[in-house]
Amino acid sequence: MKNLGRGLLAATFLATMTLQATAADLNIWWNKSYYPEEDQQFDKTVAAFEKATGIDVEYTYYTNEDVPRKVLAALTANEPPDLAYAFLFDLQHTSRWAYEDQLEDVSDVVKEIEPHLLPSAVQAVNLLNGATGKRSFYAAPVAQQIEHIHVWKDMLDQAGVDINTIPKTWEGWWDWWCETAQPAVRKATGDRQKFGIGHAMSSSASDTIFAFMMFLNAYDVQIVDADGKLTVDDPKVREGMIKALASYTKPFLNRCVPPGSVNWQDSDNNVNFLNKITAMVPNPSLSIPASQLNADDKSIYKEKMITIEWPDKPDGRPIEYIASIKTAVIFKNSKNKQAAKDFLRFFLKPENLGPQLEGALARWFPVDQRLLDTPFWKDTSDPHKTVEVRQYTQRPQSVWPHVLNHKLIQINAENAWGVAVTDVVLKGQTPEQAVDTLIARLKTVAG
């Protein structure tokens, strides 16, 4: 086993790439975790695999942003790794790679665990190959993430407002944070720079995409049909998009979101919330409470900060949570595909994948239902995981539109969703104008 560290310098990448691919029986590029426990568990899994199989593994950790960049360069040079995993693959590349016939069919691996997988995970890796015109399993589902909502309960308590009085349905729920919570918090703290909502309003943060997708779900907007065809020419779809965009930008226009949110990167909604600038924040993982899990003040995680569910749709029906399925892929031109499949089978065993996700401190949620019957996920004393488990297992889910139409990967990459938001909050466009621009872009890219 050789661990080549936490990422290679770009200057030496191409020079060492061929050496890496031939120096071992299996070459893996893996997303470096946000938590050392997750990486340490992967180290153990690799060592156990080598001991069990006699296969020599060479693996390299890369940062969240670097894995896709390195893989793209490797594909161009026709020297891809045997196996790769990245948190951003599903949002930026996997379905497009499958359509372009660059991925190995891993149906033999996925079908072994398919009976145990959540339906959303199965659908997310059943991808269209443009060369064959057929769908098959071109990626292995590892974990998933959806949108959560975190609240400073102690801030609301100080302000004398009871979160249990918040309306259950959409408009009233969002208005409560601006019309009830924000003024009460500002009065109690004497700080006019406290805000009710911590929405990202930028075209550079993926948080904007995740959250805006939930608003589209609230208004029953399906960008594509079951066959992946755009539906945006349907007047009802356009109307739903306008309502979703108007609802998303309303708090900012009503000065209920920090003005700097128009420039936020992915970490900034976390930072503003943890600094108690915002009373509530949507976030597509449990990374915010996880950051306080080992804090000296244990009451922050257990009592002061809470995780709650999203409100119901405007018509009172439960909202669907859009699930982003984290994927591992084997490339069609990989040199050691059978070894890669053997490792993938080994890694996806509950006894290996389970501790991996636990090491991520619940940032990622299992797609294998067998893992839910473990003490870690059944821990009802944890206020955040309890809500998380309910969201994933008892609430309806939907897949991202790019699973059905691979061309929408480009829309994610350029964050056209966030551009529509900034067209309203920065350029002063109406939601109708911004949506028409978005629709035109969708038709150009994915029509």
Side-chain angles (χ1 to χ4, degrees):
M1 172 178 66
K2 185 185 293 183
N3 178 356
L4 295 180
R6 308 308 187 189
L8 301 177
L9 295 174
T12 63
F13 169 67
L14 291 176
T16 60
M17 188 161 51
T18 301
L19 175 62
Q20 291 175 35
T22 59
D25 301 319
L26 178 60
N27 180 30
I28 299 174
W29 294 354
W30 206 258
N31 206 128
K32 176 175 167 52
S33 175
Y34 297 98
Y35 308 107
E37 295 90 344
E38 188 176 357
D39 289 340
Q40 290 163 8
Q41 180 56 42
F42 188 72
D43 295 340
K44 293 177 182 178
T45 299
V46 172
F49 173 76
E50 288 185 319
K51 183 177 180 180
T53 65
I55 294 174
D56 183 36
V57 180
E58 193 168 81
Y59 65 106
T60 308
Y61 289 115
Y62 291 109
T63 64
N64 199 43
E65 295 77 15
D66 275 348
V67 190
R69 287 200 290 260
K70 302 292 188 185
V71 168
L72 288 172
L75 288 171
T76 300
N78 198 27
E79 289 285 352
D82 299 316
L83 174 66
Y85 173 67
F87 305 149
L88 294 176
F89 275 175
D90 69 299
L91 294 174
Q92 296 182 352
H93 300 289
T94 306
S95 61
R96 178 175 57 81
W97 283 336
Y99 187 84
E100 294 173 350
D101 198 27
Q102 297 198 68
L103 298 181
E104 179 73 4
D105 190 320
V106 292
S107 296
D108 50 339
V109 176
V110 175
K111 286 183 177 179
E112 292 178 6
I113 60 172
E114 184 178 0
H116 307 292
L117 295 176
L118 294 169
S120 57
V122 175
Q123 185 180 10
V125 295
N126 187 23
L127 302 170
L128 180 65
N129 183 318
T132 66
K134 297 179 180 179
R135 287 184 175 268
S136 191
F137 293 121
Y138 287 101
V142 173
Q144 62 180 321
Q145 65 179 137
I146 60 174
E147 279 279 290
H148 308 283
I149 288 179
H150 308 300
V151 176
W152 281 117
K153 185 176 183 299
D154 65 331
M155 186 183 292
L156 299 182
D157 291 343
Q158 179 187 1
V161 291
D162 183 357
I163 196 171
N164 294 314
T165 64
I166 189 171
K168 300 299 183 184
T169 52
W170 194 257
E171 290 94 342
W173 195 91
W174 292 101
D175 287 345
W176 185 89
W177 292 101
C178 298
E179 298 171 3
T180 300
Q182 177 169 294
V185 167
R186 287 182 171 183
K187 182 178 180 181
T189 61
D191 186 350
R192 299 289 298 172
Q193 297 306 309
K194 302 288 188 186
F195 295 88
I197 298 172
H199 259 329
M201 293 283 164
S202 70
S203 59
S204 54
S206 65
D207 291 288
T208 312
I209 307 176
F210 274 92
F212 187 60
M213 284 292 157
M214 292 294 291
F215 278 71
L216 291 176
N217 278 357
Y219 288 93
D220 295 322
V221 175
Q222 300 295 325
I223 298 294
V224 295
D225 63 19
D227 296 321
K229 295 180 180 178
L230 285 180
T231 61
V232 292
D233 283 332
D234 184 336
K236 291 184 178 179
V237 172
R238 176 179 178 271
E239 180 183 1
M241 293 174 69
I242 292 169
K243 289 180 178 178
L245 184 58
S247 180
Y248 190 94
T249 55
K250 179 182 175 182
F252 181 90
L253 297 176
N254 286 344
R255 300 182 180 181
C256 188
V257 179
S261 61
V262 296
N263 296 314
W264 280 0
Q265 302 296 317
D266 277 340
S267 62
D268 289 318
N269 64 326
N270 299 44
V271 170
N272 277 264
F273 180 76
L274 291 171
N275 288 336
K276 289 197 166 182
I277 295 171
T278 59
M280 177 270 282
V281 63
N283 199 54
S285 77
L286 288 189
S287 61
I288 291 176
S291 70
Q292 303 303 305
L293 187 59
N294 297 315
D296 292 338
D297 184 355
K298 302 302 180 184
S299 68
I300 296 177
Y301 185 88
K302 288 285 189 178
E303 301 168 10
K304 295 178 180 178
M305 182 191 300
I306 62 173
T307 297
I308 64 174
E309 292 201 51
W310 279 67
D312 292 334
K313 295 182 176 187
D315 63 7
R317 289 180 295 122
I319 195 169
E320 297 91 4
Y321 288 93
I322 188 162
S324 173
I325 307 298
K326 308 296 105 179
T327 54
V329 297
I330 299 171
F331 295 96
K332 194 171 185 179
N333 291 335
S334 295
K335 292 180 172 60
N336 304 298
K337 290 185 283 191
Q338 187 55 54
K341 287 186 176 183
D342 290 342
F343 179 84
L344 204 49
R345 285 189 178 92
F346 188 84
F347 173 72
L348 293 173
K349 289 182 177 181
E351 59 266 33
N352 296 321
L353 181 56
Q356 181 87 12
L357 299 182
E358 292 177 20
L361 306 182
R363 182 186 186 95
W364 315 118
F365 194 80
V367 294
D368 188 326
Q369 299 178 80
R370 292 173 293 181
L371 297 178
L372 299 180
D373 193 26
T374 58
F376 182 85
W377 296 107
K378 294 176 73 174
D379 180 11
T380 56
S381 69
D382 188 303
H384 305 284
K385 278 193 294 186
T386 300
V387 176
E388 179 187 35
V389 170
R390 186 165 64 242
Q391 286 180 278
Y392 278 107
T393 62
Q394 299 179 25
R395 304 297 184 248
Q397 287 191 358
S398 62
V399 297
W400 284 71
H402 62 250
V403 171
L404 302 171
N405 184 330
H406 72 281
K407 296 179 182 178
L408 291 171
I409 287 283
Q410 177 60 33
I411 294 295
N412 294 344
E414 62 191 48
N415 202 344
W417 317 106
V419 170
V421 171
T422 59
D423 281 346
V424 174
V425 300
L426 281 180
K427 296 182 180 179
Q429 292 185 12
T430 65
E432 290 83 358
Q433 291 171 322
V435 163
D436 285 340
T437 300
L438 175 58
I439 287 175
R441 185 59 184 154
L442 286 165
K443 293 169 71 172
T444 297
V445 170

